[in-house]
Amino acid sequence: MKTIAILEVDLVRTPLGTRSRLSDPMHGRPLLVRTLERIGQAKRLAECHIVCPDDQAGRCQSLLEGVAVRIHGHQSSPPPYRELTRVGRKWSLDAWRGGIGGVCAVDEYTHCPLFAGLATQLGADAVWTAPPASPLVDPRLIDEMIAHYESSPLEMRLVFAQAPPGLTGVILQTGLLAELAEKRTSPGWVLAYKPDAPAMDLALKECCFPTSQNVRHAAGRLVADTDRSWKRVGDLIQSATDEHLDADTVGERLMAHEVEELPKLPCEVEIELTTDDQLPATLLRPRGPEGVGSRGPLDVEVIRALADELATVDDSRVVLGGFGEPLLHPRFAEIISILRQAGIYAIAVNTNGLALDDAIAGAMLDARVDVVSVFLDATAAETYRSLQGHDGLEAAKRGIDRLAAARVARHQVAPVTVAQLTKVRANLPEMESFVDEWLRRGIWPNVVGYSHRAGQCPERAVMSMAPPVRRPCRRLQSRLMVLADGTVTACDQDYAGKHAVGRLSTQGIGDIWRGAAMTTLRARHRTGAYHTLELCRGCDEWHRP
């Protein structure tokens, strides 16, 4: 059997919308050269090819002089699923799957029409591919995955691994690539749940290549196409005594440094614009003057300064949510425009949908908000009423429909709309129908667990999902929360702002992120001193990414 490598290369922009670093030197050698040198060590790959825009073929030829690779220029448009992949992957860059809309890491750099055409032309049975900015890809695992595929190619049309992006790559049968190209869809579609054709998750089948525990459990993007992932990959290479790090060693180091790797700025900041809300009596999340108090509306100039600071890193994410309804801020449209113009990479809005009128929908489309997550929490009107204290399910659904119609009219992919259900005992019987209903309507469903906010709210969860052994909170290395009065808290468990770590009126977000309060908090988590922290000792959410 003939398996070839094909990489999609662009020396200017990545499919994620970030600046391409493929020609940048990483510890003395161009990033793309490092990746191809690793791939070249795999013994079971018959050939290695790259596809690049025609006007970049000369630059690629010069960059890759002496590297065993064939360069193919093309004039093809991006595949039809590229924009959805770009938007859907922004909140799961460190994982191989889990993207909004069902997109996976393999979708990011896989151009099915181009790959299918080239593989057919070259008489290849299958294509192995990975992002071209993957200098830690493991050649031994490439060979083992190809051998695994060749052992039963009729049963496996693809072979993937549960691994951090950029570590293993994926194998796609040429016939499957052709079918995906014809259907104008991505490889992630094969892995996604389909309500009208339910089947066992492919992660439980033979096509999921078994890797070590270190690889399966590790998280962290190893594709050097963002500021944070470039630093992570560079640090791993620099710290190695042997540059040829294998996947198991890389996974082990990622897990060991999960609570030690502190980026320059938080990867994600949730901003509460106001505590005003149409559902103050909801049972599912802290709301209302009695539960939360009165804060805001947040000063727009505070948001402007925060956006400018976060935008100094090219993959920063902002969520407008908190413990009130963000659409009720009197300058909401201006705020999302400020965030986008500042250069914030990813923008999401958490809303109950009740104020999602035509003007708001238009503003979201103008600002190209990435994701709008609507708290529905039920399929039946009576369940919604009992949980939210308000008869508003149909109004919220009309808000979703209004946004979807406006998006289609403008031929835009973003914002991707998410219908969210917070799972509690009262709506558990509706959970499956909720997921299927919204998938059929082209809206991405998301089921999340109920949080008692570290014992501050009544317990309504179906069951605790916390692992049996307590470990340091993962979110202390990635997130902060800004309340509508400018108070900054370490996480969304502190809805009353009683355990503030700073204030934006006197500090920048970077100073707070690396300041004394957060440093002390992280240190106590690393030593297991959770009992000394009033909020943390009762928390069940510490394990969530």
Side-chain angles (χ1 to χ4, degrees):
M1 298 190 68
K2 182 180 181 181
T3 300
I4 64 173
I6 305 179
L7 275 64
E8 184 184 2
V9 166
D10 190 316
L11 299 178
V12 179
R13 302 296 291 176
T14 74
L16 296 177
T18 55
R19 178 183 69 85
S20 175
R21 297 160 170 81
L22 292 176
S23 59
D24 292 2
M26 177 173 278
H27 299 301
R29 298 206 302 285
L31 177 62
L32 180 57
V33 172
R34 280 187 170 275
T35 301
L36 290 170
E37 287 175 347
R38 292 278 285 193
I39 294 169
Q41 296 172 34
K43 298 177 174 58
R44 286 182 173 269
L45 284 170
E47 303 158 1
C48 186
H49 303 260
I50 68 169
V51 292
C52 67
D54 266 342
D55 60 0
Q56 296 181 22
R59 287 180 61 194
C60 286
Q61 198 73 50
S62 300
L63 181 68
L64 300 175
E65 186 175 354
V67 179
V69 62
R70 290 172 59 185
I71 300 167
H72 307 264
H74 71 85
Q75 297 180 347
S76 298
S77 300
Y81 48 83
R82 176 107 330 146
E83 182 68 6
L84 175 60
T85 300
R86 183 188 65 81
V87 172
R89 283 292 294 167
K90 287 185 176 184
W91 270 267
S92 53
L93 290 177
D94 288 338
W96 70 274
R97 80 186 310 181
I100 296 168
V103 295
C104 299
V106 63
D107 298 331
E108 296 172 3
Y109 287 85
T110 302
H111 194 310
C112 291
L114 272 180
F115 288 13
L118 183 57
T120 301
Q121 175 187 331
L122 297 172
D125 300 286
V127 169
W128 175 90
T129 189
S134 305
L136 293 175
V137 67
D138 190 332
R140 179 184 60 82
L141 275 184
I142 296 174
D143 285 336
E144 291 180 0
M145 289 175 70
I146 293 173
H148 184 69
Y149 167 74
E150 290 178 347
S151 68
S152 51
L154 296 179
E155 285 74 31
M156 293 184 289
R157 306 191 72 193
L158 80 165
V159 172
F160 63 95
Q162 295 171 302
L167 196 56
T168 62
V170 65
I171 298 169
L172 298 157
Q173 190 185 78
T174 300
L176 175 60
L177 283 167
E179 287 181 23
L180 293 172
E182 184 178 356
K183 292 177 179 177
R184 300 172 59 83
T185 192
S186 67
W189 177 84
V190 180
L191 297 166
Y193 167 71
K194 303 168 187 65
D196 296 318
M200 183 185 294
D201 189 339
L202 290 185
L204 302 175
K205 291 193 172 185
E206 192 178 8
C207 59
C208 181
F209 179 77
T211 55
S212 71
Q213 181 174 332
N214 285 344
V215 173
R216 288 195 309 276
H217 293 174
R221 189 171 184 81
L222 300 175
V223 185
D225 52 6
T226 71
D227 286 343
R228 290 183 177 89
S229 59
W230 172 274
K231 184 179 187 306
R232 179 184 296 119
V233 171
D235 287 351
L236 281 166
I237 290 175
Q238 186 175 33
S239 67
T241 54
D242 174 9
E243 284 192 357
H244 301 292
L245 289 165
D246 62 26
D248 194 64
T249 303
V250 171
E252 183 179 27
R253 293 188 184 188
L254 285 178
M255 288 195 295
H257 294 294
E258 185 175 24
V259 295
E260 299 173 9
E261 179 186 355
L262 188 66
K264 170 186 171 184
L265 291 168
C267 305
E268 181 175 314
V269 174
E270 184 170 355
I271 304 174
E272 177 187 84
L273 299 183
T274 177
T275 54
D276 291 346
D277 197 276
Q278 307 97 320
L279 303 175
T282 179
L283 302 179
L284 299 180
R285 48 194 68 89
R287 288 293 189 274
E290 293 185 7
V292 174
S294 179
R295 296 188 289 258
L298 186 60
D299 189 330
V300 170
E301 294 309 309
V302 170
I303 297 170
R304 194 186 306 277
L306 175 60
D308 287 342
E309 187 174 2
L310 290 175
T312 60
V313 181
D314 72 356
D315 52 355
S316 292
R317 305 186 299 262
V318 166
V319 178
L320 300 179
F323 305 102
E325 174 50 54
L327 304 191
L328 296 182
H329 192 290
R331 299 171 71 179
F332 173 79
E334 182 183 355
I335 288 167
I336 55 177
S337 178
I338 287 169
L339 293 171
R340 183 56 74 207
Q341 290 176 13
I344 296 298
Y345 179 61
I347 303 171
V349 178
N350 291 339
T351 174
N352 58 38
L354 299 178
L356 219 173
D357 57 19
D358 290 332
I360 291 291
M364 288 180 173
L365 288 159
D366 290 342
R368 293 190 177 270
V369 168
D370 295 289
V371 176
V372 176
S373 184
V374 182
F375 299 129
L376 293 177
D377 304 309
T379 59
E382 56 270 26
T383 306
Y384 183 95
R385 189 184 310 113
S386 67
L387 291 172
Q388 312 289 29
H390 179 74
D391 192 10
L393 181 59
E394 291 308 313
K397 286 184 176 182
R398 285 195 297 272
I400 291 177
D401 292 340
R402 193 173 292 118
L403 180 60
R407 180 177 55 78
V408 170
R410 291 207 200 179
H411 307 287
Q412 288 183 210
V413 170
V416 174
T417 309
V418 175
Q420 183 154 303
L421 180 143
T422 298
K423 180 175 63 174
V424 292
R425 290 183 287 272
N427 61 18
L428 185 61
E430 300 177 14
M431 183 175 70
E432 185 174 342
S433 60
F434 180 92
V435 170
D436 290 354
E437 173 191 345
W438 289 104
L439 277 176
R440 291 187 179 108
R441 294 179 61 171
I443 303 295
W444 188 247
N446 185 37
V447 177
V448 300
Y450 171 85
S451 173
H452 55 64
R453 309 287 167 174
Q456 300 176 94
C457 297
E459 177 60 274
R460 293 189 173 91
V462 175
M463 61 181 295
S464 173
M465 299 302 293
V469 178
R470 181 71 186 263
R471 296 187 185 280
C473 179
R474 302 171 69 182
R475 295 183 173 187
L476 294 178
Q477 307 300 116
S478 63
R479 300 183 183 186
L480 280 179
M481 182 158 199
V482 177
L483 301 181
D485 59 1
T487 299
V488 179
T489 67
C491 70
D492 62 1
Q493 302 299 293
D494 188 14
Y495 62 84
K498 295 178 181 178
H499 307 277
V501 294
R503 289 189 63 84
L504 289 181
S505 58
T506 58
Q507 299 168 280
I509 198 71
D511 294 333
I512 296 171
W513 179 242
R514 292 180 172 272
M518 287 299 294
T519 299
T520 298
L521 187 56
R522 293 186 188 106
R524 292 193 184 181
H525 271 248
R526 282 197 297 271
T527 59
Y530 312 112
H531 62 283
T532 66
L533 302 164
E534 181 182 346
L535 197 64
C536 299
R537 63 173 170 249
C539 179
D540 280 347
E541 304 297 309
W542 52 269
H543 60 290
R544 300 196 184 278

